[in-house]
Amino acid sequence: MRIETTPVAGVAIVRIDPRTDERGFFARSFDRDAFAEAGLETELVQANISWNERRGTLRGMHYQLESAPEAKLVRCTRGAVLDQVVDVRPGSPTYLQHVSVELTEDNRTALYVPPLFAHGFITLADRTEVTYNVSAPYTPGVERGLRHDDPDLGLSWPVPVEVVSAKDASWPLLADVGGEAPR
């Protein structure tokens, strides 16, 4: 397993190092000691699956408030997504900067999303499955979001958004809330 840093501090790309033989391969996808050495959250307490029937399904951009922070390790196990994270940490030198990574069943890459980062993805194929390992249970009432199409974020989506929930489509634009991520 290799952990690669990104230009936005705290966000990391996790790549496997498969050991292959006639059966296929074996690889480590999480290593507590390696995560600790890289300064990443080492306690993952919940695992979630997102099943998405259609290409162009957008989920996000979600984050939890400081009262219930949540780190995520996100991997696409079937199909493909473009996964994006936006820094919404107050006072961060990379505030509102983002990282985009294509996660696919073939590249088996994972994206580490630190607490206080908005996270979302769009499916690039029908019947796409994404798994999330998270550092804390979901806490109702402290979820917030950013609009996927907010011009102040400058996010680019490689396929048209065909499916998005009413909740995700209704997050406020930054310009409407004074240029700051909702708290």
Side-chain angles (χ1 to χ4, degrees):
M1 183 184 72
R2 295 171 312 207
I3 299 174
E4 301 171 5
T5 60
T6 68
V8 178
V11 178
I13 299 169
V14 180
R15 300 190 194 278
I16 63 169
D17 284 323
R19 311 278 186 220
T20 60
D21 63 22
E22 66 278 356
R23 299 169 293 175
F25 77 84
F26 174 85
R28 182 169 291 123
S29 61
F30 173 78
D31 181 310
R32 183 184 64 205
D33 294 339
F35 270 54
E37 186 176 310
L40 308 180
E41 177 62 52
T42 61
E43 185 172 354
L44 300 175
V45 301
Q46 189 174 317
N48 304 316
I49 297 173
S50 170
W51 175 256
N52 306 276
E53 192 61 39
R54 291 182 36 207
R55 178 181 191 260
T57 298
L58 188 128
R59 293 183 184 257
M61 304 289 296
H62 309 138
Y63 61 97
Q64 297 277 113
L65 295 177
E66 290 178 270
S67 61
E70 180 181 88
K72 299 174 186 172
L73 183 61
V74 183
R75 181 180 310 277
C76 181
T77 54
R78 180 180 175 144
V81 299
L82 179 72
D83 203 316
Q84 301 200 68
V85 295
V86 177
D87 185 352
V88 295
R89 298 172 296 178
S92 170
T94 56
Y95 186 70
L96 296 184
Q97 291 183 21
H98 69 276
V99 173
S100 300
V101 179
E102 191 170 310
L103 307 177
T104 73
E105 66 183 284
D106 294 327
N107 71 20
R108 297 182 176 91
T109 297
L111 181 63
Y112 175 81
V113 181
L116 302 178
F117 274 72
H119 168 257
F121 63 81
I122 192 164
T123 58
L124 304 176
D126 289 342
R127 303 176 53 80
T128 292
E129 181 178 271
V130 176
T131 63
Y132 301 69
N133 291 294
V134 295
S135 64
Y138 171 74
T139 305
V142 297
E143 180 184 52
R144 298 294 185 271
L146 303 175
R147 285 264 298 276
H148 70 278
D149 57 353
D150 190 324
D152 289 337
L153 294 179
L155 300 175
S156 177
W157 303 99
V159 298
V161 175
E162 301 290 339
V163 180
V164 63
S165 72
K167 180 179 178 180
D168 288 347
S170 66
W171 294 118
L173 294 172
L174 290 173
D176 295 338
V177 292
E180 299 255 334
R183 297 269 167 246

